[in-house]
Amino acid sequence: MQTFYSDLLVIGAGLAGERVAVEAAENGFNVICLSIVPARRSHSSAAQGGMQAALGNCAMGEGDNTDVHFGDTVKGSDWGCDQEVARLFADAAPIEMRRLAHWGVPWNRVVPGQSFYFKGGQKFEKFENPENEGLITARAFGGTAKWRTCYTSDGTGHAVMCTMDNRCAELGINVMDRKEAVALIHDEETCMGAIVRCLRTGKLETYLAKATAICTGGFGRIYKATTNAVICDGGGHILALDTGMVPIGNPEAIQFHPTGIVPTDILVTEGCRGDGGTLLDVNEERFMHIYEPEKAELASRDVVSRWMTHHMREGKGVKSSYGEHLWLDIRHLGDQHISHKLREVDDICHHFLGIDPRKQLIPVRPTQHYTMAGIRTNKDGAAYGLKGLFSAGEAACWDMHGFNRLGGNSLAETVVAGGIIGDKIVEFLKGYETKFKTEIINQQYRRQEQRIKDLISGRNGNESVYDVRHEMQEALMKGCFVFRNGPDLEETVETLEKLLDRSSRVGLHSDGAGVNHELGSALKIRGQIKLAMCIATAALNRTESRGSHNREDFPERNDRDWLTRTLAYWPTEDAAKPDLMYEDSSQIFEIPPGDRGYGGGTIIPADENMVKERTITKK
Amino acid sequence: MGRELQFEIFRYNPQKPEVAPRMQTYKLEETPNMTLFIALNRLREEQDPSLIFDFCCRAGICGACAMVINGRPGLACQTKTKDQSGKITLHPLPVYKLIGDLAVDTGVWFREMYAKTESWVHTSKIFDPTKEEERMDNKVAEDIYELERCIECGCCVAACGTARLRDDFLGAAALNRIARFHIDPRDERSDKQFFELVGNDAGVFGCMGLLACEDVCPKELPLQNQLGFLRRKMGITAIKEIFRK
């Protein structure tokens, strides 16, 4: 058994993971980062649009400040977020963007003078203040009062990922790729590191650390239709859930992006609509302005996805051999704009659809995109339930997004939260010593070794992991997609119960030698079904509609009973369902629960006294 | 009914050295809009779960799935089967260490490259969180991003004649990296310092000028221009050095 030791073990080397690592390394701690893929291939690099931060440099961002950004974020979350955390985020975001500029990110900058922009298909004029020439500029995104999304062309995630990984190289951080954590080492009180499968040799290795941070991104791949990379499969969440000590926060809070292309579900950025692109129906007519007169295409993602689905149900969808869809129209933005600011979109249209977006419409429909759900942490990023365990980025439910996150707020969260939580980990590590219990380490190592042997020998059965996974993905599409209702959710829970049982009989059909992919999938399938079950049971329990969680049978947002965050624990390995607990969404309100100003719907108000007691005025 | 595609796939698992490298044939019915991402995953899930290959974003953004497709390095995820003949031959990228079948170890190669090129902004300035960001001309930012678009897929190095001949050749991706920092006003390195990194046969002067790198780059980076630019710069720097002595 090969063993590695560090002060901090970061599982996942995307933007959040590397930002945490950088903070710790700058403070003199020894850090190891593990990643399934070379760090720059992390899914952070696929984020095209940008990062929200209230710099207020561009003309359309004039008057912006962190309060406005905070307000947009809280409204976006449908009051599901922790307002203390949203405040920490909004305040730190502008500084973090400047820090990234210092490290090397080539942010697009303010170009002074007159220029044009599109909104709702119409052309408008704006004038950029010469005094702001060369400062970081921003573009429009959904659900925001100002143009606030900092960007580099439409490769923001890629550009920031390059800079962050360069910073890791500069600091000499040990970033090890092709390493996949399969279990945490813990004694039900303290986390001591992880058992890791090497994706070069297939061998198990042990990583011991005083602090462990899970930064593995989202788990969209448990859905059939998702924009996510194939590595976003919930591996990190399974590590946490399997401990029995650490809960998944708000598992029912899953975001569906309005513009996944049909087929293949690859994302085209919200920047398309931010830059003035429109959504059209079967008659090639706009429809979003009918439902959302003010924000139209630029309402928040949950709202746009819901209206799109509604509009298709009204018979206005375009029929295709891959099912119904709608159109995204960016033709009027012109060649210059598409060739430069939306080049990735142009590439995707060319390579995966064989169309030219200057002349043709892009087929789109809502697709799973983001998990607001995640490993529940406190505002310091410390996971509930285990000392020495942290989480940041999409993997975590830190909880600034509540039931819907705004475009541009997740990519920003990776680095902002990474910086804040990295700093808290540094605080934790200073003067901290722990004990590594060899008995626990060896037990966990042998347990994982045995699991692998059993899967290879087929000792428990020979169910195909791919069949079981396929059925799980279909079950989620049926019960836990844009619209949800009691009967469908009950059926999904039942299906998942059967699948969980079948998953214990999975055995390999190949020999499992080396970096065998079937083995990797088989090691995860049971955990994935547990995650799916957390989503389905939590969605069934939550008898209201909030943000991305839409119950057709309970259309009101119910602040009286559901101003809460779900905490889903998996109590024991042989349990059939999670234990669902609840905590208040926010201990304080800077903005008391109210109307978002888009999305419609009615609200059952919260207890007045409770709201009054918790409402604070900002200093 | 779609075409019946025939795949010839290179097979070798270094963890099973007793089984010699070989080509293996698979058959699959073509479906509309089929890419190699769809085809290879179907082969693995329906016919042979031991197949080893890499995919990540499956959208042409991350560079994980580069392989040699009918003799030419490219990204498998954005290769449509309808653009290929009915027989598709797949090999792993050369130059890089083989992980198994079609997967190669680009990670280690590129991390070494970051160290050799010192792939980061070299500045003596210290970040001040209370201050406004330093200004930059938008055109300069766009030019930097243009060179930052490299996805480290490894195609340029796999297609490079020099890289096949000598292990220490930096390759187009590394020279492009140097060019990216050279035009970045935040990087304080002098021409002389850059010359020390790439002004030799393992760097700009090793290139034989075959320029396959640019032909195969899936991001269509201007690799040829960068090479020419660096050669001129480094040539001038070298001459200056001679006269200084």
Side-chain angles (χ1 to χ4, degrees):
Chain A
M1 170 167 88
Q2 199 176 3
T3 304
F4 299 82
Y5 169 76
S6 58
D7 295 319
L8 171 63
L9 174 68
V10 183
I11 301 171
L15 278 178
E18 287 203 336
R19 182 66 186 87
V20 165
V22 163
E23 196 65 27
E26 282 178 345
N27 283 279
F29 291 102
N30 175 267
V31 187
I32 291 178
C33 268
L34 303 179
S35 177
I36 302 179
V37 293
R40 288 175 203 219
R41 311 215 193 289
S42 302
H43 199 47
S44 303
S45 72
Q48 299 159 17
M51 295 191 178
Q52 279 204 47
L55 290 159
N57 294 328
C58 67
M60 302 296 289
E62 209 174 293
D64 198 11
N65 58 48
T66 53
D67 294 344
V68 185
H69 186 185
F70 168 78
D72 283 344
T73 303
V74 172
K75 286 176 203 159
S77 80
D78 223 353
W79 275 269
C81 73
D82 179 334
Q83 295 199 10
E84 265 183 281
V85 168
R87 173 52 76 180
L88 283 175
F89 164 76
D91 286 352
I95 300 165
E96 191 65 22
M97 298 308 116
R98 294 182 180 128
R99 191 190 322 268
L100 293 171
H102 178 77
W103 284 344
V105 172
W107 294 118
N108 277 78
R109 304 292 180 132
V110 174
V111 178
Q114 183 201 42
S115 56
F116 298 97
Y117 68 97
F118 284 90
K119 195 180 168 193
Q122 279 182 305
K123 201 171 182 180
F124 296 90
E125 192 184 10
K126 64 183 172 70
F127 188 83
E128 295 290 347
N129 185 352
E131 276 176 27
N132 290 342
E133 179 174 5
L135 296 176
I136 299 170
T137 192
R139 60 169 33 142
F141 252 39
T144 64
K146 303 279 179 187
W147 286 25
R148 187 188 297 127
T149 306
C150 309
Y151 64 98
T152 56
S153 181
D154 62 353
T156 313
H158 170 83
V160 179
M161 192 70 238
C162 286
T163 295
M164 196 63 73
D165 199 38
N166 285 337
R167 180 78 185 140
C168 285
E170 182 182 3
L171 291 167
I173 294 170
N174 192 2
V175 182
M176 302 165 85
D177 64 50
R178 291 187 186 269
K179 303 281 181 190
E180 178 162 42
V182 293
L184 292 178
I185 305 167
H186 70 97
D187 59 2
E188 301 195 340
E189 278 174 20
T190 308
C191 181
M192 298 168 230
I195 304 293
V196 172
R197 181 170 172 246
C198 173
L199 301 183
R200 285 190 177 78
T201 61
K203 291 194 174 74
L204 290 181
E205 299 166 346
T206 302
Y207 288 76
L208 300 177
K210 290 183 191 174
T212 303
I214 299 178
C215 307
T216 48
F219 53 98
R221 277 280 156 183
I222 67 173
Y223 279 82
K224 189 87 202 165
T226 175
T227 62
N228 287 191
V230 299
I231 55 171
C232 303
D233 58 9
H237 301 86
I238 296 168
L239 300 177
L241 196 60
D242 272 348
T243 63
M245 312 300 297
V246 183
I248 300 295
N250 280 344
E252 68 273 42
I254 307 286
Q255 180 170 79
F256 306 94
H257 196 289
T259 58
I261 63 169
V262 181
T264 70
D265 307 300
I266 294 169
L267 177 77
V268 290
T269 175
E270 183 158 322
C272 290
R273 281 172 294 129
D275 293 358
T278 54
L279 292 168
L280 307 180
D281 63 17
V282 67
N283 302 317
E284 301 195 10
E285 283 169 4
R286 284 184 68 208
F287 56 90
M288 273 307 299
H289 63 292
I290 302 170
Y291 303 115
E292 296 293 329
E294 200 194 327
K295 293 247 173 209
E297 279 87 353
L298 283 178
S300 61
R301 289 175 179 175
D302 56 327
V303 172
V304 179
S305 289
R306 205 184 320 149
W307 289 129
M308 285 171 77
T309 308
H310 170 78
H311 203 64
M312 286 192 277
R313 284 179 174 184
E314 298 281 290
K316 299 289 182 65
V318 184
K319 307 246 184 320
S320 84
S321 51
Y322 296 96
E324 283 189 49
H325 63 77
L326 294 159
W327 300 114
L328 173 65
D329 183 8
I330 59 169
R331 293 173 300 183
H332 52 284
L333 303 185
D335 176 55
Q336 180 69 12
H337 191 96
I338 292 171
S339 299
H340 289 92
K341 295 203 167 154
L342 297 171
R343 182 160 48 187
E344 290 293 342
V345 174
D346 195 17
D347 277 356
I348 287 166
C349 286
H350 171 70
H351 288 298
F352 300 98
L353 295 169
I355 64 163
D356 179 357
R358 291 164 195 78
K359 294 178 189 142
Q360 288 162 289
L361 300 171
I362 307 169
V364 294
R365 72 175 160 224
T367 302
Q368 195 287 336
H369 181 58
Y370 188 82
T371 45
M372 283 75 74
I375 297 164
R376 178 64 185 140
T377 71
N378 65 15
K379 65 181 174 182
D380 298 341
Y384 283 21
L386 279 182
K387 194 177 176 189
L389 182 65
F390 296 80
S391 183
E394 189 179 348
C397 178
W398 184 35
D399 193 7
M400 57 170 276
H401 303 302
F403 277 77
N404 174 66
R405 89 161 161 84
L406 297 181
N409 256 359
S410 66
L411 199 60
E413 182 193 14
T414 61
V415 288
V416 175
I420 293 171
I421 292 163
D423 182 53
K424 291 293 172 185
I425 293 174
V426 167
E427 249 175 53
F428 170 84
L429 284 173
K430 277 181 183 161
Y432 174 74
E433 298 299 340
T434 187
K435 290 194 175 86
F436 295 125
K437 300 177 181 168
T438 54
E439 188 191 356
I440 301 275
I441 298 164
N442 289 327
Q443 260 174 19
Q444 186 62 292
Y445 185 89
R446 279 197 300 271
R447 198 177 301 139
Q448 299 310 317
E449 205 175 37
Q450 192 60 45
R451 275 178 76 203
I452 290 174
K453 277 184 191 157
D454 290 349
L455 285 167
I456 291 175
S457 70
R459 191 178 129 183
N460 300 321
N462 68 347
E463 279 275 9
S464 152
V465 62
Y466 297 122
D467 288 349
V468 175
R469 191 174 69 185
H470 176 75
E471 287 179 42
M472 167 193 72
Q473 290 170 329
E474 291 294 349
L476 284 179
M477 295 301 285
K478 180 145 201 293
C480 306
F481 208 58
V482 176
F483 286 103
R484 301 155 181 195
N485 62 62
D488 282 351
L489 282 166
E490 275 164 23
E491 191 190 321
T492 302
V493 170
E494 241 173 73
T495 309
L496 290 171
E497 255 178 302
K498 285 181 200 144
L499 287 171
L500 187 66
D501 182 47
R502 275 173 68 188
S503 72
S504 63
R505 295 191 295 277
V506 161
L508 297 198
H509 293 214
S510 62
D511 63 6
V515 263
N516 182 285
H517 179 269
E518 190 188 18
L519 177 59
S521 303
L523 283 168
K524 256 176 295 204
I525 186 65
R526 208 172 152 75
Q528 288 177 321
I529 297 170
K530 289 179 193 169
L531 283 174
M533 187 65 106
C534 288
I535 298 175
T537 50
L540 180 61
N541 240 25
R542 184 174 285 273
T543 47
E544 66 151 356
S545 292
R546 185 182 297 276
S548 64
H549 172 69
N550 293 293
R551 283 288 297 261
E552 291 167 298
D553 40 357
F554 296 95
E556 306 85 10
R557 188 180 96 195
N558 184 344
D559 287 351
R560 186 189 62 210
D561 304 319
W562 289 105
L563 208 52
T564 57
R565 182 176 301 104
T566 310
L567 300 175
Y569 291 84
W570 207 273
T572 56
E573 175 48 33
D574 50 4
K577 280 184 193 169
D579 288 341
L580 300 181
M581 322 274 215
Y582 294 89
E583 64 178 9
D584 292 343
S585 297
S586 199
Q587 294 301 318
I588 54 136
F589 299 122
E590 266 191 58
I591 307 178
D595 182 23
R596 300 165 98 185
Y598 50 82
T602 48
I603 299 168
I604 300 171
D607 176 64
E608 255 176 68
N609 287 328
M610 184 279 287
V611 172
K612 207 183 262 173
E613 272 167 30
R614 295 190 179 195
T615 300
I616 57 153
T617 35
K618 209 190 135 202
K619 298 137 236 163
Chain B
M1 266 292 279
R3 292 189 293 175
E4 189 188 67
L5 299 173
Q6 185 181 325
F7 288 87
E8 296 289 331
I9 298 180
F10 175 85
R11 303 296 312 272
Y12 180 64
N13 185 345
Q15 302 305 313
K16 287 169 73 184
E18 67 279 9
V19 184
R22 66 204 182 278
M23 296 302 289
Q24 192 168 340
T25 307
Y26 298 91
K27 285 182 178 155
L28 192 66
E29 192 193 319
E30 192 173 29
T31 52
N33 286 310
M34 184 182 252
T35 61
L36 288 184
F37 169 71
I38 296 168
L40 282 169
N41 275 292
R42 274 189 57 195
L43 287 179
R44 180 155 70 192
E45 291 176 17
E46 295 166 15
Q47 298 186 29
D48 188 347
S50 73
L51 261 177
I52 301 169
F53 50 78
D54 288 329
F55 282 100
C56 184
C57 77
R58 60 81 172 88
I61 293 168
C62 80
C65 63
M67 56 183 72
V68 180
I69 303 157
N70 281 336
R72 193 180 168 87
L75 297 182
C77 72
Q78 60 183 35
T79 300
K80 293 189 275 288
T81 53
K82 76 175 170 63
D83 298 336
Q84 305 290 324
S85 68
K87 187 177 160 188
I88 298 173
T89 304
L90 302 175
H91 287 95
L93 288 186
V95 180
Y96 303 97
K97 191 177 168 195
L98 185 73
I99 298 281
D101 299 344
L102 300 173
V104 296
D105 196 340
T106 51
V108 164
W109 194 97
F110 276 95
R111 290 215 89 76
E112 276 173 20
M113 183 273 265
Y114 309 156
K116 283 184 198 162
T117 57
E118 299 183 18
S119 168
W120 52 85
V121 167
H122 288 52
T123 177
S124 54
K125 290 179 186 148
I126 292 163
F127 177 69
D128 181 349
T130 63
K131 281 216 178 100
E132 185 176 84
E133 65 271 24
E134 261 189 61
R135 291 173 194 244
M136 181 184 272
D137 188 75
N138 190 53
K139 179 71 175 63
V140 174
E142 283 179 351
D143 288 347
I144 296 170
Y145 176 69
E146 199 56 34
L147 303 181
E148 190 109 281
R149 288 171 56 242
C150 170
I151 54 173
E152 304 189 357
C153 60
C155 286
C156 60
V157 176
C160 171
T162 312
R164 301 286 293 274
L165 291 173
R166 49 186 301 169
D167 290 339
D168 64 348
F169 185 58
L170 284 167
L175 297 175
N176 178 69
R177 182 63 47 86
I178 291 286
R180 179 249 175 270
F181 286 106
H182 191 271
I183 63 166
D184 192 328
R186 292 167 293 197
D187 198 313
E188 292 165 358
R189 278 179 282 186
S190 64
D191 283 354
K192 185 166 175 278
Q193 283 170 302
F194 282 117
F195 181 79
E196 279 163 15
L197 297 175
V198 295
N200 52 34
D201 281 355
V204 281
F205 301 118
C207 168
M208 300 188 288
L210 301 176
L211 300 173
C213 50
E214 186 163 325
D215 289 346
V216 299
C217 176
K219 291 282 135 184
E220 295 173 356
L221 289 170
L223 298 171
Q224 187 179 341
N225 280 348
Q226 296 320 308
L227 182 81
F229 167 74
L230 284 179
R231 274 198 169 172
R232 277 198 305 280
K233 269 277 171 200
M234 296 303 135
I236 292 164
T237 308
I239 290 164
K240 276 187 190 158
E241 284 301 298
I242 292 166
F243 283 110
R244 199 166 292 161
K245 281 167 195 163

